[in-house]
Amino acid sequence: MMRLLWLDVRAALRERKTWLAAAMLVYAVLAVPLILARPPEHVREAIAAFFHDDDPFVVFMFVWIDLVMNKIVGFLPVVLASSVLLRERDTGVLAVLAAKPLPLSRYFVLRTASACAVMLTLYVASQLFAAVWFSSQVAGFRPGVFLAAMSLHVFAAVFATAFAATVAVAVGRRGASALISLVVLGLLVGMALIGFYQPAWGTVVLANPLTLGAQSLGHLGALGPAVLLPPMLALTVLTLVTIAVGARFARRLEA
């Protein structure tokens, strides 16, 4: 299994959609300092009011997580994972796989783990590149706090990838599953920071995985294990449950 997983990850990293995803992440890293060079004053005031802090680094992290990475997490996982098992079925490969000793439920787990590994690789590489680039481009940038905050957000990206793969096998149609994943992830992105804007909703919106991934925004001055580990654990459990649900749906494709 591990050998097959490694081969699948290597093959996926060479695909054009992976290079497209990498190009989007590089563009985001290079463009954000230009966007933030002269932010509108009302935007600064709004963010300062929401977070009770006018620190330029807080403004930057809000823009980077909510306006950039959340949007990417709402899109790239669909590109990477919305054809899991469906491409094999549509090309006639699934019937061959079904005759092998490897059950399709386990093959789904393997393919989803591969897509999650690709997302993880792209995400980590882009954040390391960003930490170097932003250090010279963003005033008051704190690379340690930045990497700590993004180490939590990456769990949301992996969850979104597993979610897109599970929707694919549950719906059974590539176009429809991609559309549903985009809509649902778009809604989760749109509601991710409601708890920051409306504190009364803070507990309720923790059911949103992307809210969990952005919890570091409220604790940039004191990021530590007590802040990062609980949402990391919750997102890990959600991801594993999502993959398990997808594996059950994958069994239906064996018929």
Side-chain angles (χ1 to χ4, degrees), residues 128-237:
L128 292 174
F129 170 51
V132 175
W133 176 248
F134 294 154
S135 293
S136 62
Q137 299 293 320
V138 177
F141 182 73
R142 290 176 249 166
V145 177
F146 172 82
L147 291 175
M150 302 320 294
S151 69
L152 169 57
H153 196 262
V154 69
F155 283 77
V158 172
F159 164 80
T161 307
F163 175 80
T166 295
V167 170
V169 293
V171 175
R173 295 290 182 271
R174 282 199 272 183
S177 64
L179 179 61
I180 291 172
S181 293
L182 281 172
V183 170
V184 174
L185 290 175
L187 289 172
L188 294 179
V189 166
M191 296 185 295
L193 296 189
I194 287 179
F196 292 101
Y197 308 146
Q198 299 292 337
W201 289 79
T203 303
V204 175
V205 296
L206 288 178
N208 181 350
L210 295 190
T211 298
L212 293 175
Q215 283 300 292
S216 59
L217 276 178
H219 307 274
L220 292 175
L223 278 183
V227 173
L228 298 174
L229 291 182
M232 284 179 177
L233 178 60
L235 285 166
T236 299
V237 172

Side-chain angles (χ1 to χ4, degrees), residues 30-64:
L30 296 178
V32 164
L34 299 176
I35 296 172
L36 282 173
R38 290 176 177 245
E41 190 58 34
H42 70 278
V43 172
R44 282 188 177 276
E45 292 174 357
I47 295 173
F50 289 144
F51 293 97
H52 308 290
D53 195 340
D54 59 357
D55 183 350
F57 181 71
V58 174
V59 175
F60 164 79
M61 288 301 297
F62 172 83
V63 171
W64 180 246

